[in-house]
C-alpha cells in the first residue's frame, strides 16, 4: 500500500494574498505558487497601501473573498510590512487572517518586531528558486493541512 502524502489530501485550497514589491520576486513566487494546488493566489499587492486597499474593498463587498493567509514582505517602499501588520491586526475581522512574513531579512530584531506586530509566522525567503518552492510548499502544507483556519465572519459577543 502506497503512503498517503499530505499534499495529496488537502481538504481545500487556501486563498493567498501576496504582498511583494519586487517585480522579479513576484514573478518567481507566482510561478512557485502555481505549482502548489493547495494554494490559490487570490491577489498580488505591490505595496502595503495596495494590500490594505484590497482588504478594505473585500470587507466592503461582503462576498467572503478575503484571503485565508497573507504572505507579506517586510521591505517595501511607502508602507513597509511592519506597518501593514499593525494595520491588519488593528481591524477585528482582518486580525483573524494569519500573516506569514516572507522576508530576506534574518535580523533577529526584524523577527521579534514582526511577532510583536502580530505575525503568525516568519519565514526566510530563500534566494534560489528550488529552495523558494520548497519553502512555499512547507508554508502551504502547514496552513492548508496541519491547521484549522478561522472563518471570515465576526464571532458573536
Amino acid at each position: 500500500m502506497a503512503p498517503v502524502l499530505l499534499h495529496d489530501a488537502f481538504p481545500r485550497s487556501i486563498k493567498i494574498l501576496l504582498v511583494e514589491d519586487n517585480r522579479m520576486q513576484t514573478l518567481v513566487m507566482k510561478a512557485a505558487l502555481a505549482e502548489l494546488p493547495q494554494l490559490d493566489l487570490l491577489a498580488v499587492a505591490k505595496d502595503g497601501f495596495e494590500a490594505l486597499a484590497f482588504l478594505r474593498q473585500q470587507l466592503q463587498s461582503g462576498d467572503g473573498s478575503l484571503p485565508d493567509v497573507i504572505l507579506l514582505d517586510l521591505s517595501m517602499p511607502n508602507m513597509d510590512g511592519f506597518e501593514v501588520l499593525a494595520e491588519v491586526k488593528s481591524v477585528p475581522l482582518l486580525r483573524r487572517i494569519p500573516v506569514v512574513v516572507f522576508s530576506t531579512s534574518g535580523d533577529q530584531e526584524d523577527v521579534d518586531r514582526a511577532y510583536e506586530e502580530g505575525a503568525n509566522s516568519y519565514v526566510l525567503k530563500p534566494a534560489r528558486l528550488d529552495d523558494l518552492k520548497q519553502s512555499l510548499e512547507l508554508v502551504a502544507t502547514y496552513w492548508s493541512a496541519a491547521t484549522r483556519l478561522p472563518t471570515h465572519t465576526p464571532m458573536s459577543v
Side-chain angles (χ1 to χ4, degrees), residues 18-84:
L18 173 61
V19 186
E20 172 64 62
D21 67 311
N22 182 298
R23 187 170 172 229
M24 187 55 82
Q25 284 285 330
T26 299
L27 291 172
V28 169
M29 292 196 50
K30 283 172 77 172
L33 289 169
E35 294 182 22
L36 299 169
Q38 66 271 38
L39 297 181
D40 176 23
L41 186 58
L42 180 63
V44 177
K46 67 178 183 291
D47 62 31
F49 289 122
E50 197 172 291
L52 292 174
F54 172 80
L55 292 168
R56 286 186 193 107
Q57 179 184 7
Q58 299 310 99
L59 276 176
Q60 290 174 350
S61 74
D63 66 0
S65 56
L66 284 169
D68 294 309
V69 175
I70 299 170
L71 287 180
L72 177 65
D73 184 31
L74 284 183
S75 301
M76 296 182 291
N78 304 322
M79 175 183 261
D80 67 23
F82 296 116
E83 294 169 300
V84 174

Side-chain angles (χ1 to χ4, degrees), residues 10 12 16 23 34 53 78 88 96 104 119 149 153:
F10 290 110
R12 68 177 179 92
I16 299 291
R23 187 170 172 229
N78 304 322
V88 166
R96 299 171 77 184
T104 56
L149 292 168
T153 56

Side-chain angles (χ1 to χ4, degrees), residues 109-149:
E109 287 182 24
D110 287 344
V111 174
D112 292 345
R113 183 172 173 203
Y115 281 111
E116 286 170 14
E117 295 292 346
N120 299 88
S121 246
Y122 193 104
V123 178
L124 285 177
K125 191 187 307 178
R128 291 182 17 165
L129 180 59
D130 288 345
D131 294 338
L132 176 66
K133 287 179 185 177
Q134 183 179 14
S135 196
L136 284 171
E137 187 163 14
L138 289 171
V139 168
T141 299
Y142 179 76
W143 289 105
S144 66
T147 63
R148 295 277 318 244
L149 292 168

Side-chain angles (χ1 to χ4, degrees), residues 1-11 37-38 137 141 144-146:
M1 181 181 201
V4 175
L5 300 176
L6 282 176
H7 67 275
D8 293 333
F10 290 110
Q38 66 271 38
E137 187 163 14
T141 299
S144 66

